[in-house]
Amino acid sequence: MKLRHSIALLTFAMVAVTSCKQQQEARRPLSQSSGSFMKKSVERNKKLVATEEDVIKGIIKNNASKKYTASAKGYWYTYEIANTNDTLRPKRGDVALFNYEVKDLKGNIIYNELELRPQVYYVDKQEIMMGLRDAIKLMRKGEKISFLFPSHIAYGYHGDNKKIGPNVPLQVTVTLNNFMPEAVYDKGTTAAAPIATQQKAEKALPLKPVAAKPERDTIN
């Protein structure tokens, strides 16, 4: 009985070792396949970026009357209205107040300024389009700039789940109305609340509503 028991245990151990070895060997092609998929995905993305950049360069070439500047972040821009008197630009810790309009590269309006309403953006502390996040910080108060964003720094492969589809490069025109430190903006919104309430009670014209601090900035 002891001999049979020992043989049974030995057989079970050999089967277990063989099974583990087969499972380990079966995983190798999956890893290789995954690496191959990633390589192909990278190549597709490179081709997509190159194609979009060619289209953007064509737009710039056909608008010779405008001077476009290439940014280090991979987008291009031209000034519609420039402010050459000021040197200050929005930075982290500021609140930027701006309007913008979104078009495709053919000039078709996707979102107009009325739809997007004036924006209140806590610089570098809210989720907005990657390209716009950088673009706001190179603007001065009162400037109006048109940006050409490849899709990978716009809304990428998923779009905005509304009007902007996957892999759509965009033309975005931004007007920076004002910017200020967060403390100044937050103090102003707090101070405006009781005044607006008092005016309403007196049946006077209400103050223009002041946007409360949003959790994130998205296109609606």
Side-chain angles (χ1 to χ4, degrees):
M1 290 294 292
K2 290 183 178 180
L3 179 61
R4 289 181 181 178
H5 184 67
S6 298
I7 293 173
L9 288 175
L10 180 60
T11 303
F12 177 78
M14 292 176 65
V15 170
V17 170
T18 303
S19 175
C20 289
K21 185 177 180 181
Q22 288 176 343
Q23 288 179 2
Q24 290 174 356
E25 290 177 350
R27 291 173 184 170
R28 290 177 186 173
L30 180 62
S31 177
Q32 293 170 358
S33 176
S34 177
S36 176
F37 173 80
M38 289 299 295
K39 184 176 180 181
K40 289 180 180 179
S41 179
V42 169
E43 290 301 320
R44 282 196 300 269
N45 288 338
K46 285 182 178 179
K47 289 180 180 179
L48 177 64
V49 171
T51 299
E52 291 180 359
E53 287 184 352
D54 285 343
V55 173
I56 288 173
K57 289 175 183 177
I59 292 173
I60 293 172
K61 184 178 180 180
N62 292 331
N63 286 273
S65 60
K66 293 186 177 181
K67 180 182 178 181
Y68 281 86
T69 301
S71 79
K73 299 292 186 179
Y75 59 86
W76 288 258
Y77 60 95
T78 184
Y79 287 85
E80 308 291 345
I81 300 174
N83 175 358
T84 58
N85 297 319
D86 297 332
T87 58
L88 297 177
R89 295 180 171 91
K91 62 183 183 302
R92 184 178 179 85
D94 288 340
V95 176
L97 312 176
F98 67 95
N99 293 5
Y100 72 126
E101 180 180 73
V102 180
K103 300 178 182 178
D104 62 24
L105 294 190
K106 294 181 180 179
N108 300 311
I109 295 176
I110 301 175
Y111 294 104
N112 60 40
E113 285 191 4
L114 183 61
E115 290 177 278
L116 297 177
R117 73 195 181 283
Q119 296 289 309
V120 177
Y121 170 51
Y122 285 70
V123 179
D124 285 346
K125 294 185 179 181
Q126 291 176 254
E127 295 181 15
I128 62 172
M129 185 197 311
M130 186 186 302
L132 193 57
R133 182 186 181 100
D134 184 74
I136 288 292
K137 291 186 288 186
L138 65 78
M139 299 184 71
R140 300 178 181 91
K141 180 181 176 180
E143 288 189 329
K144 183 176 183 179
I145 302 179
S146 290
F147 300 91
L148 298 174
F149 295 126
S151 64
H152 69 279
I153 54 174
Y155 287 94
Y157 66 90
H158 53 72
D160 74 339
N161 298 317
K162 294 179 182 179
K163 294 184 180 183
I164 300 172
N167 301 320
V168 177
L170 299 172
Q171 177 179 331
V172 181
T173 302
V174 182
T175 302
L176 181 61
N177 300 313
N178 200 359
F179 65 93
M180 65 198 72
E182 286 182 25
V184 174
Y185 177 78
D186 290 342
K187 183 178 180 181
T189 58
T190 303
I195 297 174
T197 302
Q198 181 182 355
Q199 285 186 334
K200 186 175 181 180
E202 295 173 354
K203 296 183 180 182
L205 291 175
L207 294 178
K208 182 179 179 180
V210 181
K213 181 176 180 180
E215 295 181 358
R216 55 185 295 176
D217 184 14
T218 56
I219 288 179
N220 293 320

